[in-house]
Amino acid sequence: MTAKGGASPSPGGAGAAAGTGRFFTVGLVTAWYSSNIGVLLLNKYLLSNYGFKYPIFLTMCHMSACALLSYAAIAWLRVVPMQLVRSRLQLAKIAALSLVFCGSVVSGNISLRYLPVSFNQAVGATTPFFTAVFAYLMTVKRESWVTYLTLVPVVTGVIIASGTSGAIAHNMLMGEPSFHLFGFIMCIGATAARALKTVLQGILLSSEGEKLNSMNLLLYMAPIAVLFLLPATIFMEDNVVGITIQLAKKDFTIVWLLLFNSCLAYFVNLTNFLVTKHTSALTLQVLGNAKGAVAVVVSIMIFKNPVSITGMLGYTLTVIGVILYSESKKRSSKPVAS
């Protein structure tokens, strides 16, 4: 029965709207995958294959683009309403998060100089392990024993992927290109810092008045990150601006690569926000788990880095552990029926 004076909805119109909605969602997910995998592969190309050995400067370029494009998206395009910082204390909390965020991104970019993308992603998949550790240490939040049990394959998979027991030492001594101790340490540091930021964000911005959506948080974190990274790149990457200018004079492609890469870094955050907004938590969980696997396959096809069967089995075990961990967390968060 239709409302008085109203027209009944057309089945064809409803189907067309649903089809358009599905097409839009698929487009968003494609853009999310493309930007995530694209920035990862381009970082690897610049820092390793191209020979641009300045990860701090590269991260500063990313943060500069995020600051400018975040302001344009929020202040001019109104992608989301602008949320204002209400106090100096809130700003200090955001600065602390920004510092940890800088550490995570810089460490991750440094690791890409020395490690193949496939191994980088395997280590990155252990983020739930570090999140659980930091949550317990900083909030005394305990998970169920089943949740902790699911972290065993997460860690075991990375141990297998990196080379078990004496294999690690063998790789180091024999100069195996797929394993680099410093790169491995940086990758672990990046993963731990990413988890620490998640836990800190839940602690520092927990009150309703201080909560910021991811786009507004990036708007404030990015320029603060630039302020942290500018002195770091000046003192730790000697004459990086002059070297970049000299490279541009020889091959202007480097300028386009840096610009495109920096913009892509912003679109990673934008598409992540939009996919989160337009899909369910379960869909996002499944897509997130698959994204790392896709990145591994694409990177192997492009960079032709050698990957052993043992390494792939280790990475697969880690992904299975992450899926089990996510499922356990989802079940434990459901209210118990009375």
Side-chain angles (χ1 to χ4, degrees):
M1 184 180 292
T2 61
K4 187 176 180 180
S8 59
S10 167
T20 303
R22 282 194 294 270
F23 183 77
F24 177 73
T25 302
V26 169
L28 272 182
V29 172
T30 303
W32 182 47
Y33 267 49
S34 300
S35 58
N36 268 272
I37 297 171
V39 77
L40 180 68
L41 298 180
L42 196 49
N43 283 348
K44 174 65 178 175
Y45 174 75
L46 282 168
L47 295 167
S48 184
N49 297 65
Y50 191 88
F52 187 79
K53 301 175 181 179
Y54 306 102
I56 301 176
F57 180 75
L58 181 63
T59 306
M60 191 180 75
C61 291
H62 288 182
M63 292 300 105
S64 299
C66 285
L68 293 171
L69 294 174
S70 290
Y71 184 81
I74 295 174
W76 299 341
L77 300 179
R78 312 282 183 181
V79 173
V80 293
M82 182 176 286
Q83 296 172 283
L84 300 177
V85 174
R86 298 171 180 267
S87 66
R88 290 183 180 178
L89 178 60
Q90 186 184 11
L91 184 61
K93 292 177 179 179
I94 293 172
L97 287 173
S98 183
L99 182 60
V100 176
F101 184 52
C102 283
S104 173
V105 178
V106 170
S107 298
N109 284 339
I110 291 174
S111 75
L112 284 172
R113 277 190 61 190
Y114 304 101
L115 299 176
V117 172
S118 53
F119 187 50
N120 176 280
Q121 289 295 288
V123 176
T126 63
T127 301
F129 169 76
F130 290 101
T131 303
V133 170
F134 285 127
Y136 179 78
L137 293 176
M138 300 174 72
T139 66
V140 200
K141 180 183 177 182
R142 295 186 179 182
E143 304 288 352
S144 67
W145 67 269
V146 175
T147 300
Y148 287 124
L149 193 62
T150 61
L151 293 174
V152 173
V154 172
V155 178
T156 305
V158 171
I159 293 173
I160 293 172
S162 60
T164 55
S165 57
I168 293 180
H170 176 77
N171 287 341
M172 291 163 58
L173 292 171
M174 299 302 292
E176 172 62 43
S178 294
F179 185 87
H180 192 284
L181 181 60
F182 180 67
F184 177 68
I185 293 171
M186 286 293 100
C187 198
I188 288 287
T191 306
R194 194 180 308 125
L196 178 60
K197 175 186 170 290
T198 301
V199 176
L200 276 177
Q201 187 172 330
I203 297 172
L204 297 180
L205 302 178
S206 57
S207 66
E208 285 300 322
E210 292 183 333
K211 283 184 179 178
L212 299 170
N213 62 48
S214 60
M215 295 303 295
N216 274 276
L217 185 59
L218 182 67
L219 171 67
Y220 294 113
M221 281 203 313
I224 296 173
V226 173
L227 295 178
F228 284 135
L229 293 167
L230 182 59
T233 192
I234 290 173
F235 288 108
M236 298 176 70
E237 298 176 331
D238 189 39
N239 195 31
V240 62
V241 176
I243 292 170
T244 305
I245 292 172
Q246 290 301 317
L247 284 172
K249 287 180 179 178
K250 294 178 182 178
D251 182 10
F252 200 75
T253 305
I254 184 65
V255 175
W256 296 118
L257 287 174
L258 289 173
L259 284 173
F260 179 67
N261 191 27
S262 300
C263 292
L264 207 56
Y266 169 72
F267 282 105
V268 168
N269 294 277
L270 176 63
T271 54
N272 185 71
F273 173 79
L274 293 174
V275 170
T276 304
K277 182 179 178 182
H278 290 281
T279 63
S280 67
L282 178 60
T283 302
L284 190 67
Q285 172 189 316
V286 173
L287 291 173
N289 291 330
K291 178 166 59 65
V294 174
V296 168
V297 173
V298 173
S299 71
I300 293 172
M301 291 171 61
I302 293 175
F303 297 111
K304 312 295 183 183
N305 56 281
V307 179
S308 66
I309 295 176
T310 303
M312 289 306 297
L313 286 175
Y315 178 71
T316 303
L317 182 61
T318 295
V319 172
I320 291 172
V322 171
I323 294 171
L324 293 174
Y325 172 83
S326 301
E327 184 65 24
S328 176
K329 287 280 290 181
K330 185 179 69 174
R331 291 188 179 186
S332 63
S333 64
K334 287 182 179 180
V336 180
S338 56

